[in-house]
Amino acid sequence: MVGLMIGAVIVAVLPLIFILGSLIVRGAGSLSVAFFTRMPVPAGETGGGVLHAIVGTLIIVGIAALMGVPIGMGAGLHAAEYPGSKISWTARFVADVMNGTPSIVVGVFAYTLVVAPQKHYSAFAGSLALAVLMVPMIMRSTEELIKLVPNSLREAALALGYARWRTSLSIVLRTALPGIVTGSLLAIARVAGETAPLLLTALGNQYFSVDINGPMETLPHVVYKYATGPYEEWHQFAWAAALVLILVVLVLSIAARIATRQKFGGARG
Amino acid sequence: METSTLTAMYGKFAAVKAVTLQFPANQVHALIGPSGCGKSTFLRSLNRMHEMSIGGWVTGRVLLDGEDVYGPGVSVIQLRRRVGMVFQRPTPFPTKSIYDNVAAGLMLEGKLPRAELDEIVERSLRRAALWDEVKDRLKGSAIALSGGQQQRLCLARTIAPEPEVILLDEPTASLDPQGTQRIEELVFELKKDFTIIIVTHNMQQAARTSDTTTFFYLGTMVEHGPTKQIFTTPQNEQTEAYITGRFG
């Protein structure tokens, strides 16, 4: 039995090791300081970097997090604190459906809402799509973590003369916060690698741009564009960009672990 | 504090049936009875915590200084500052330091000057007989304390805002004998300043600490009187059966 379980673990971890391994083998060679600080060079030349895509990914994911994290946390807090209410039931149901929705559908949604009316692609539409993907994940993880806070703590605060809202915010949410931060960072890391919704919204941009109303380059799109291109140097480039994308996700995950470590105690995620 | 035909319901089930009792100030009042007899529900009705339970509602009156705490226009929040409560299991706030735990109830009124806050925190910890053990680590974790220390911390947190009445819901149920003894000594000390109502499963505890004792059975108040009388010459057969250990 133990042997079977160990076998399952190996099978589960193996693809991950292969992916990481081949990314490092094929991508690390093209990584240099220039890769992080320079713009791409025309086909045929060597060198250059993906500064525009790194900055673009940070901006798009950053704005998505600013929109998605507070909404997801607030909805999760409500669902956990008023579990019987109709709103909570509806929100939970919608979130579960949303969690299973293909991301390209969300991309189409942002396309219809922002890109089509203004008749040009925009980074903001990309942020919107990523935020929509993020909210149900954050809501559900927040709800689960808040449910772990013992009811006795809630009662202690109420008995001390805390108002209901104050108990929710300063005792319950505060106690569950490290886990919620972890859940949110994992949700952010998860959407940072999304490609399909960005193809329909932020599109991509071969120039450096910080205009959130216009098209913007992102790391997943760089991988897509250069991997499907005809040149060997482009393929190298795509490997390196994929490695950087994985590193960004890795850094976020490690940040999530560090955020979980806290002064005293409370729920952990 | 007193109650007048207080009935506490869970949906259609009456957990406490028409209980009328007086709790004179600066005394310790013990509520005893077998599990499920309604004594905890009765206690939770006094600071309106019962209505937080699913399906919880009450009829009758609870008077604090002659004013009905269930009357219209009464602030539940203000009431709970006047009627503090300590629970069966210690409930320190895990994200707050020892100092901030004691100060938690004081912060609600708005900011106090730092010096005044320091003074109240120290005085509350001294009254809860915890100061000497924690004075060097006030900024440290509250959940690193032992169970008995945590319960005394909760007591300090409850007395810091200077309530009039303190409700103790089986405060020593999760403590070892030493922890229990310290809490009992404190109860005796604290009645100089507060009216204390204590629910307990422990008959010896009721006999040792309280001035009056009330015996509950099946939601009804069976007998109420001076502790000495209840334990030596109970008037009711059921009371006698319970305190002599024949059931419960």
Side-chain angles (χ1 to χ4, degrees), chain B residues 127 184-194 196:
Chain B
R127 288 162 94 184
E184 286 182 9
E185 286 163 5
L186 277 171
V187 167
F188 194 76
E189 278 295 308
L190 288 171
K191 75 172 178 180
K192 290 178 200 144
D193 303 308
F194 307 98
I196 295 172

Side-chain angles (χ1 to χ4, degrees), chain B residues 111-147:
Chain B
K111 276 214 151 67
L112 285 171
R114 185 76 200 184
E116 198 179 324
L117 200 58
D118 285 348
E119 196 190 307
I120 298 175
V121 169
E122 176 173 345
R123 189 176 54 211
S124 305
L125 284 168
R126 281 189 191 282
R127 288 162 94 184
L130 191 60
W131 174 253
D132 290 329
E133 291 156 62
V134 301
K135 64 183 174 200
D136 300 322
R137 47 171 169 153
L138 290 173
K139 293 288 161 209
S141 167
I143 50 175
L145 298 173
S146 74

Side-chain angles (χ1 to χ4, degrees), chain A residues 8-45:
Chain A
V9 169
I10 291 171
V11 170
V13 175
L14 219 54
L16 198 74
I17 292 171
F18 278 141
I19 292 172
L20 254 180
S22 59
L23 275 180
I24 291 169
V25 169
R26 305 204 195 198
S30 309
L31 281 189
S32 60
V33 177
F35 195 81
F36 294 94
T37 57
R38 304 266 300 272
M39 295 293 291
V41 291
E45 294 177 31

